[in-house]
Amino acid sequence: MGYCIIMTTFASAEQAEPIVSALLERRLAACIQRIAISSSYVWEGKVQNDPELLILIKTRDELFREVKETIEKLHPYDTPEVVKVPIDAGSASYLAWIDEVTG
């Protein structure tokens, strides 16, 4: 069984909460972390610099499609970030916990 971290960003905690809650309630994620960041990017031809909230979603590979669809359905951004980062190795007990929570 494979595992991954899915990353997405929001302008605020209020925007993030409905998606965080939905993913946890549907058991699509075992753990979701929120980190305040500063993002610089090009949007509609202009350089933007904004405070954002980076969300790290710990889950199983096979749940990626459902997590992605949930984010895209509920996210307020026109083009939300949905990036999957594989977990190549990890603590056996932590990975077993992900299985338990999302299984």
Side-chain angles (χ1 to χ4, degrees):
M1 188 171 295
Y3 305 92
C4 63
I5 297 170
I6 301 168
M7 300 186 311
T8 191
T9 55
F10 295 90
S12 68
E14 292 77 24
Q15 284 185 353
E17 195 52 43
I19 293 175
V20 168
S21 294
L23 294 173
L24 292 172
E25 288 168 9
R26 296 174 190 169
R27 299 177 65 91
L28 296 174
C31 175
I32 300 176
Q33 296 170 313
R34 301 163 182 89
I35 304 166
I37 61 170
S38 177
S39 294
S40 299
Y41 55 97
V42 177
W43 182 251
E44 297 179 345
K46 298 178 185 170
V47 174
Q48 306 288 325
N49 295 288
D50 294 307
E52 287 189 300
L53 200 60
L54 173 64
I55 304 298
L56 303 176
I57 303 159
K58 280 60 165 294
T59 191
R60 293 181 288 131
D61 283 331
E62 66 191 55
L63 297 175
F64 173 74
R65 181 186 54 78
E66 289 180 75
V67 171
K68 177 181 163 294
E69 288 172 358
T70 301
I71 292 169
E72 290 175 341
K73 180 180 179 183
L74 300 175
H75 206 294
Y77 288 5
D78 292 337
T79 307
E81 171 185 0
V82 182
V83 176
K84 178 183 169 192
V85 180
I87 297 174
D88 294 329
S91 160
S93 60
Y94 186 79
L95 299 177
W97 173 73
I98 291 176
D99 286 335
E100 178 186 330
V101 172
T102 62

